[in-house]
Amino acid sequence: MCKLAFVLLMVICFVSFIGSAYASTLVKGDVVYTRSNLRAEGSKIFWHNMRSLRGLVPVGTKVSIERSAGGVITFVTTDTNKTYHVYADSRLWDKYFVKDKEEIGLEGLSPDKKDQVEKGNVVVGMTKEEVYASKGCPAYIAWGEESERIPLAEIMLYNKWYYLATSRAHDVMVIFANGVVVATGGFVK
């Protein structure tokens, strides 16, 4: 039994290493696209989108990576040549960027849903991917559980996402059932 547990532990460590190695492959010069609308304060983009931030890098924006290490990802938009800094774990870059724009799924949206995503809105009937493209990374994925260090794949497993208006003020809670928004509103446990 002990030998089986050791082998299982080794397999888990190996898989974690492979996942970490993949996630850390974003390097200077890579051209990627923003996975979601990213709200900015000047050139700063925080790990979760706060509605109060007025700057915006729209979903699907083509960018070039300048630096990706530690707690900062620096990129330049190819259309406006503006530099931004995402203050987030660079190993979790896929929460903010995709290498293939089609992965976002904007092309398959109805004109109404595409308009809602581009405006940063959430409406009943949206999928988790559409909400993520619209609002970005939620601040919390369960009552009191920050999503900052949680990989995107794990965030997608949760059925309540909490977004903030400011660093201290609540904005909206999104509730999913079967991967689709069934309700939005104020925060509840």
Side-chain angles (χ1 to χ4, degrees), residues 95-134:
K95 291 168 62 170
Y96 310 98
F97 305 101
V98 294
K99 289 188 174 185
D100 181 357
K101 190 174 181 178
E102 289 183 16
E103 187 178 337
I104 303 167
L106 295 177
E107 293 76 24
L109 295 180
S110 68
D112 180 51
K113 270 196 180 173
K114 189 172 183 177
D115 183 55
Q116 294 296 335
V117 168
E118 288 172 352
K119 290 179 179 175
N121 295 331
V122 176
V123 295
V124 171
M126 283 183 152
T127 66
K128 288 182 179 182
E129 292 79 8
E130 292 164 353
V131 171
Y132 201 95
S134 181

Side-chain angles (χ1 to χ4, degrees), residues 55-108:
L56 180 70
V57 181
V59 59
T61 299
K62 187 177 182 179
V63 304
S64 176
I65 300 300
E66 290 296 308
R67 180 178 181 270
S68 180
V72 180
I73 304 167
T74 301
F75 67 90
V76 177
T77 59
T78 58
D79 59 345
T80 63
N81 207 33
K82 286 186 76 175
T83 300
Y84 293 93
H85 310 280
V86 178
Y87 290 92
D89 186 336
S90 63
R91 294 171 298 170
L92 301 175
W93 64 266
D94 66 333
K95 291 168 62 170
Y96 310 98
F97 305 101
V98 294
K99 289 188 174 185
D100 181 357
K101 190 174 181 178
E102 289 183 16
E103 187 178 337
I104 303 167
L106 295 177
E107 293 76 24

Side-chain angles (χ1 to χ4, degrees), residues 47 89 91-96 132 137-142 145-158:
W47 63 270
D89 186 336
R91 294 171 298 170
L92 301 175
W93 64 266
D94 66 333
K95 291 168 62 170
Y96 310 98
Y132 201 95
C137 187
Y140 298 92
I141 51 175
E145 187 175 341
E146 286 187 350
S147 66
E148 181 178 10
R149 292 179 178 84
I150 307 294
L152 177 63
E154 191 173 331
I155 289 171
M156 292 294 181
L157 298 175
Y158 284 80

Side-chain angles (χ1 to χ4, degrees), residues 139-177:
Y140 298 92
I141 51 175
W143 188 255
E145 187 175 341
E146 286 187 350
S147 66
E148 181 178 10
R149 292 179 178 84
I150 307 294
L152 177 63
E154 191 173 331
I155 289 171
M156 292 294 181
L157 298 175
Y158 284 80
N159 287 319
K160 279 188 186 175
W161 292 357
Y162 301 86
Y163 289 93
L164 298 179
T166 68
S167 61
R168 292 187 173 93
H170 300 156
D171 184 15
V172 67
M173 178 182 67
V174 181
I175 301 172
F176 300 94

